[in-house]
Amino acid sequence: MIKKLQTEFGISQAVTIAPGINGLPKVVLAHESGSRAEVYLHAGHVTSWTNAKGDELLFLSREALFAPGKEIRGGIPVCFPQFSDQGPLPPHGFARNSEWHLVKTEVLGTGKVAARLQLTESEDSLAIWPHKFALVLGVLLDMNALTISTQVVNTGADSFQFQTALHTYFRVADIHRTSVRGLEGVSFIDAVREYRRDVETGPSIRFSEETDRIYVDAPDSLRLDDEGNGRSIVIQKRDMPDVVVWNPWIEKSHRMSYLGDEEYLRIVCVETGRIVSPCELSPRDQWQGETTFSC
Ligand code: TA6
């Protein structure tokens, strides 16, 4: 299958389809500046993004599973059609442990390298979520930026509601020397304190315990300061109103599968999506949102 995909979608010097971990097919995007990204057809999962200097900016657990039907711990999981355990589906929905299809690759005139993957309903998904849909993931690699877009199309005859988020795991040198800026004054739901509503009072969020907050209608521009690595990542979102800031800290890390006990020290999740007010689509309606990371 990989050879067939390479023949159909490979682009010299820019796009390669190759066997990844456990032989699972991955799409490797290579920008002329030296920046790279990798996205697996399994789960439609971006697992790596390195900037032109060669810095790996995404976290991937050393214990991550790469197996059919299993979610990957790290990278950019696509949460759909449910966020977390906010419904009857598996946590974060079924998109992140489904097999996606590669539908397009391209090098734009600007030199940006693009790949588009798609997930549609299956017997398995219809059995737990009786709706026809198309979920399209766009991955756009530039010299020092990565844009991820998600589009949801209702291809069925009935309306449905969904939540979606990019559950991005950033790799940092040291969680104690990490902060997230841009959320001052924003209302949030605190999943660590019985989902109590609160308001962010500080100019930046720092970490000293399990942190799991859904910021509602957050500003479109945020900044992650990875002081230990001496770098910042700017996060710019569009039509993704909500932001989740998460670090599992010690106890939750020990309880979680496929995550090393000490790995919480090098993770911060800054997730962007449509969570608090689920989106309702009538037949043939569509929704699209995107987030750009630059560093
Ligand atoms: O986004 C935060 C969260 O909902 C946490 O409550 C925690 O359960 C985490 O997601 C788990 O995400 P994962 O991708 O590791 O399954």
mmCIF file of all heavy atoms in Angstrom, residues 211-237:
data_model
loop_
_atom_site.group_PDB
_atom_site.id
_atom_site.type_symbol
_atom_site.label_atom_id
_atom_site.label_comp_id
_atom_site.label_asym_id
_atom_site.label_seq_id
_atom_site.Cartn_x
_atom_site.Cartn_y
_atom_site.Cartn_z
ATOM 1 N N THR A 211 -2.991 20.339 35.993
ATOM 2 C CA THR A 211 -3.709 21.500 35.459
ATOM 3 C C THR A 211 -4.558 21.040 34.281
ATOM 4 O O THR A 211 -4.033 20.366 33.386
ATOM 5 C CB THR A 211 -2.715 22.578 34.987
ATOM 6 O OG1 THR A 211 -1.847 22.909 36.090
ATOM 7 C CG2 THR A 211 -3.442 23.824 34.506
ATOM 8 N N ASP A 212 -5.874 21.342 34.343
ATOM 9 C CA ASP A 212 -6.758 20.845 33.278
ATOM 10 C C ASP A 212 -7.916 21.833 33.160
ATOM 11 O O ASP A 212 -8.927 21.706 33.845
ATOM 12 C CB ASP A 212 -7.284 19.450 33.655
ATOM 13 C CG ASP A 212 -7.957 18.770 32.471
ATOM 14 O OD1 ASP A 212 -8.178 19.441 31.438
ATOM 15 O OD2 ASP A 212 -8.244 17.559 32.580
ATOM 16 N N ARG A 213 -7.751 22.856 32.344
ATOM 17 C CA ARG A 213 -8.706 23.962 32.287
ATOM 18 C C ARG A 213 -9.194 24.199 30.861
ATOM 19 O O ARG A 213 -8.379 24.234 29.944
ATOM 20 C CB ARG A 213 -8.054 25.262 32.799
ATOM 21 C CG ARG A 213 -7.521 25.160 34.221
ATOM 22 C CD ARG A 213 -6.772 26.418 34.596
ATOM 23 N NE ARG A 213 -6.164 26.307 35.905
ATOM 24 C CZ ARG A 213 -5.318 27.218 36.395
ATOM 25 N NH1 ARG A 213 -5.012 28.308 35.658
ATOM 26 N NH2 ARG A 213 -4.782 27.078 37.578
ATOM 27 N N ILE A 214 -10.505 24.361 30.725
ATOM 28 C CA ILE A 214 -11.090 24.701 29.426
ATOM 29 C C ILE A 214 -11.425 26.192 29.438
ATOM 30 O O ILE A 214 -12.342 26.636 30.146
ATOM 31 C CB ILE A 214 -12.371 23.885 29.158
ATOM 32 C CG1 ILE A 214 -12.103 22.381 29.269
ATOM 33 C CG2 ILE A 214 -12.940 24.228 27.776
ATOM 34 C CD1 ILE A 214 -13.364 21.516 29.176
ATOM 35 N N TYR A 215 -10.644 26.969 28.698
ATOM 36 C CA TYR A 215 -10.871 28.418 28.621
ATOM 37 C C TYR A 215 -11.925 28.679 27.539
ATOM 38 O O TYR A 215 -11.776 28.202 26.397
ATOM 39 C CB TYR A 215 -9.565 29.140 28.314
ATOM 40 C CG TYR A 215 -8.616 29.133 29.491
ATOM 41 C CD1 TYR A 215 -7.763 28.051 29.711
ATOM 42 C CD2 TYR A 215 -8.600 30.183 30.406
ATOM 43 C CE1 TYR A 215 -6.918 28.016 30.804
ATOM 44 C CE2 TYR A 215 -7.753 30.151 31.512
ATOM 45 C CZ TYR A 215 -6.924 29.065 31.702
ATOM 46 O OH TYR A 215 -6.098 29.044 32.807
ATOM 47 N N VAL A 216 -12.950 29.428 27.909
ATOM 48 C CA VAL A 216 -14.121 29.598 27.052
ATOM 49 C C VAL A 216 -13.998 30.875 26.218
ATOM 50 O O VAL A 216 -13.699 31.940 26.754
ATOM 51 C CB VAL A 216 -15.400 29.664 27.921
ATOM 52 C CG1 VAL A 216 -16.649 29.680 27.045
ATOM 53 C CG2 VAL A 216 -15.446 28.485 28.893
ATOM 54 N N ASP A 217 -14.200 30.716 24.894
ATOM 55 C CA ASP A 217 -14.110 31.895 23.997
ATOM 56 C C ASP A 217 -12.812 32.664 24.231
ATOM 57 O O ASP A 217 -12.818 33.866 24.508
ATOM 58 C CB ASP A 217 -15.314 32.840 24.211
ATOM 59 C CG ASP A 217 -16.539 32.316 23.456
ATOM 60 O OD1 ASP A 217 -16.335 31.616 22.425
ATOM 61 O OD2 ASP A 217 -17.665 32.573 23.904
ATOM 62 N N ALA A 218 -11.706 31.956 24.120
ATOM 63 C CA ALA A 218 -10.390 32.534 24.400
ATOM 64 C C ALA A 218 -9.911 33.395 23.225
ATOM 65 O O ALA A 218 -10.347 33.197 22.083
ATOM 66 C CB ALA A 218 -9.398 31.404 24.653
ATOM 67 N N PRO A 219 -9.018 34.338 23.487
ATOM 68 C CA PRO A 219 -8.446 35.150 22.400
ATOM 69 C C PRO A 219 -7.783 34.246 21.349
ATOM 70 O O PRO A 219 -7.332 33.143 21.658
ATOM 71 C CB PRO A 219 -7.396 36.012 23.112
ATOM 72 C CG PRO A 219 -7.850 36.059 24.541
ATOM 73 C CD PRO A 219 -8.490 34.721 24.807
ATOM 74 N N ASP A 220 -7.719 34.754 20.118
ATOM 75 C CA ASP A 220 -7.216 33.907 19.025
ATOM 76 C C ASP A 220 -5.698 33.801 19.004
ATOM 77 O O ASP A 220 -5.152 32.975 18.270
ATOM 78 C CB ASP A 220 -7.708 34.438 17.671
ATOM 79 C CG ASP A 220 -9.162 34.033 17.428
ATOM 80 O OD1 ASP A 220 -9.650 33.109 18.133
ATOM 81 O OD2 ASP A 220 -9.809 34.630 16.542
ATOM 82 N N SER A 221 -5.017 34.661 19.790
ATOM 83 C CA SER A 221 -3.550 34.621 19.778
ATOM 84 C C SER A 221 -3.014 34.337 21.189
ATOM 85 O O SER A 221 -3.358 35.033 22.154
ATOM 86 C CB SER A 221 -2.987 35.962 19.277
ATOM 87 O OG SER A 221 -1.586 35.849 19.158
ATOM 88 N N LEU A 222 -2.195 33.276 21.286
ATOM 89 C CA LEU A 222 -1.615 32.855 22.580
ATOM 90 C C LEU A 222 -0.121 32.649 22.367
ATOM 91 O O LEU A 222 0.354 32.578 21.218
ATOM 92 C CB LEU A 222 -2.245 31.532 23.033
ATOM 93 C CG LEU A 222 -3.769 31.471 23.113
ATOM 94 C CD1 LEU A 222 -4.227 30.029 23.268
ATOM 95 C CD2 LEU A 222 -4.277 32.314 24.270
ATOM 96 N N ARG A 223 0.599 32.542 23.518
ATOM 97 C CA ARG A 223 2.028 32.256 23.379
ATOM 98 C C ARG A 223 2.470 31.269 24.453
ATOM 99 O O ARG A 223 2.112 31.432 25.630
ATOM 100 C CB ARG A 223 2.859 33.538 23.509
ATOM 101 C CG ARG A 223 4.281 33.375 22.946
ATOM 102 C CD ARG A 223 5.064 34.663 23.073
ATOM 103 N NE ARG A 223 5.598 34.841 24.433
ATOM 104 C CZ ARG A 223 5.766 36.034 25.003
ATOM 105 N NH1 ARG A 223 5.375 37.132 24.373
ATOM 106 N NH2 ARG A 223 6.297 36.117 26.224
ATOM 107 N N LEU A 224 3.200 30.273 24.016
ATOM 108 C CA LEU A 224 3.780 29.277 24.925
ATOM 109 C C LEU A 224 5.261 29.624 25.088
ATOM 110 O O LEU A 224 6.004 29.662 24.096
ATOM 111 C CB LEU A 224 3.624 27.878 24.325
ATOM 112 C CG LEU A 224 4.419 26.737 24.962
ATOM 113 C CD1 LEU A 224 4.020 26.540 26.415
ATOM 114 C CD2 LEU A 224 4.223 25.452 24.175
ATOM 115 N N ASP A 225 5.685 29.911 26.313
ATOM 116 C CA ASP A 225 7.099 30.232 26.563
ATOM 117 C C ASP A 225 7.788 29.020 27.159
ATOM 118 O O ASP A 225 7.509 28.614 28.288
ATOM 119 C CB ASP A 225 7.209 31.431 27.524
ATOM 120 C CG ASP A 225 6.784 32.733 26.840
ATOM 121 O OD1 ASP A 225 6.864 32.790 25.595
ATOM 122 O OD2 ASP A 225 6.335 33.663 27.545
ATOM 123 N N ASP A 226 8.666 28.436 26.349
ATOM 124 C CA ASP A 226 9.470 27.278 26.758
ATOM 125 C C ASP A 226 10.831 27.823 27.190
ATOM 126 O O ASP A 226 11.812 27.787 26.432
ATOM 127 C CB ASP A 226 9.589 26.321 25.563
ATOM 128 C CG ASP A 226 10.472 25.105 25.869
ATOM 129 O OD1 ASP A 226 10.918 24.967 27.032
ATOM 130 O OD2 ASP A 226 10.722 24.329 24.917
ATOM 131 N N GLU A 227 10.837 28.381 28.421
ATOM 132 C CA GLU A 227 12.038 29.121 28.882
ATOM 133 C C GLU A 227 13.264 28.213 28.916
ATOM 134 O O GLU A 227 14.369 28.628 28.611
ATOM 135 C CB GLU A 227 11.768 29.719 30.263
ATOM 136 C CG GLU A 227 10.620 30.724 30.277
ATOM 137 C CD GLU A 227 9.948 30.845 31.647
ATOM 138 O OE1 GLU A 227 10.469 30.271 32.628
ATOM 139 O OE2 GLU A 227 8.885 31.500 31.727
ATOM 140 N N GLY A 228 13.034 26.948 29.250
ATOM 141 C CA GLY A 228 14.173 26.018 29.350
ATOM 142 C C GLY A 228 14.894 25.828 28.030
ATOM 143 O O GLY A 228 16.097 25.576 27.996
ATOM 144 N N ASN A 229 14.155 25.951 26.930
ATOM 145 C CA ASN A 229 14.775 25.836 25.602
ATOM 146 C C ASN A 229 15.043 27.203 24.985
ATOM 147 O O ASN A 229 15.493 27.285 23.835
ATOM 148 C CB ASN A 229 13.854 25.033 24.663
ATOM 149 C CG ASN A 229 14.018 23.526 24.863
ATOM 150 O OD1 ASN A 229 15.134 23.011 25.006
ATOM 151 N ND2 ASN A 229 12.906 22.816 24.879
ATOM 152 N N GLY A 230 14.677 28.259 25.736
ATOM 153 C CA GLY A 230 14.909 29.608 25.224
ATOM 154 C C GLY A 230 14.116 29.914 23.970
ATOM 155 O O GLY A 230 14.602 30.592 23.049
ATOM 156 N N ARG A 231 12.873 29.374 23.893
ATOM 157 C CA ARG A 231 12.063 29.660 22.704
ATOM 158 C C ARG A 231 10.591 29.795 23.054
ATOM 159 O O ARG A 231 10.150 29.378 24.127
ATOM 160 C CB ARG A 231 12.235 28.561 21.645
ATOM 161 C CG ARG A 231 11.772 27.187 22.064
ATOM 162 C CD ARG A 231 11.792 26.217 20.883
ATOM 163 N NE ARG A 231 11.518 24.865 21.345
ATOM 164 C CZ ARG A 231 12.383 23.860 21.282
ATOM 165 N NH1 ARG A 231 13.573 24.047 20.748
ATOM 166 N NH2 ARG A 231 12.070 22.651 21.724
ATOM 167 N N SER A 232 9.873 30.445 22.159
ATOM 168 C CA SER A 232 8.423 30.612 22.332
ATOM 169 C C SER A 232 7.718 30.100 21.090
ATOM 170 O O SER A 232 8.263 30.152 19.981
ATOM 171 C CB SER A 232 8.092 32.104 22.539
ATOM 172 O OG SER A 232 8.634 32.548 23.774
ATOM 173 N N ILE A 233 6.517 29.589 21.294
ATOM 174 C CA ILE A 233 5.665 29.155 20.174
ATOM 175 C C ILE A 233 4.418 30.024 20.198
ATOM 176 O O ILE A 233 3.739 30.123 21.233
ATOM 177 C CB ILE A 233 5.288 27.667 20.305
ATOM 178 C CG1 ILE A 233 6.545 26.797 20.183
ATOM 179 C CG2 ILE A 233 4.254 27.282 19.227
ATOM 180 C CD1 ILE A 233 6.300 25.306 20.362
ATOM 181 N N VAL A 234 4.174 30.706 19.095
ATOM 182 C CA VAL A 234 2.955 31.517 18.978
ATOM 183 C C VAL A 234 1.847 30.627 18.421
ATOM 184 O O VAL A 234 2.063 29.868 17.468
ATOM 185 C CB VAL A 234 3.185 32.740 18.058
ATOM 186 C CG1 VAL A 234 1.867 33.481 17.823
ATOM 187 C CG2 VAL A 234 4.228 33.674 18.674
ATOM 188 N N ILE A 235 0.691 30.715 19.050
ATOM 189 C CA ILE A 235 -0.466 29.899 18.650
ATOM 190 C C ILE A 235 -1.549 30.850 18.171
ATOM 191 O O ILE A 235 -1.996 31.718 18.928
ATOM 192 C CB ILE A 235 -0.973 29.056 19.841
ATOM 193 C CG1 ILE A 235 0.137 28.112 20.333
ATOM 194 C CG2 ILE A 235 -2.234 28.266 19.453
ATOM 195 C CD1 ILE A 235 -0.127 27.517 21.708
ATOM 196 N N GLN A 236 -1.924 30.745 16.918
ATOM 197 C CA GLN A 236 -2.927 31.642 16.325
ATOM 198 C C GLN A 236 -4.080 30.772 15.812
ATOM 199 O O GLN A 236 -3.889 29.911 14.966
ATOM 200 C CB GLN A 236 -2.290 32.405 15.148
ATOM 201 C CG GLN A 236 -3.170 33.505 14.569
ATOM 202 C CD GLN A 236 -3.291 34.711 15.490
ATOM 203 O OE1 GLN A 236 -2.337 35.064 16.184
ATOM 204 N NE2 GLN A 236 -4.456 35.323 15.519
ATOM 205 N N LYS A 237 -5.282 30.970 16.370
ATOM 206 C CA LYS A 237 -6.404 30.091 15.983
ATOM 207 C C LYS A 237 -7.486 30.904 15.254
ATOM 208 O O LYS A 237 -7.586 32.125 15.412
ATOM 209 C CB LYS A 237 -6.986 29.389 17.209
ATOM 210 C CG LYS A 237 -7.559 30.338 18.272
ATOM 211 C CD LYS A 237 -7.991 29.586 19.514
ATOM 212 C CE LYS A 237 -8.529 30.498 20.594
ATOM 213 N NZ LYS A 237 -9.825 31.116 20.267
#
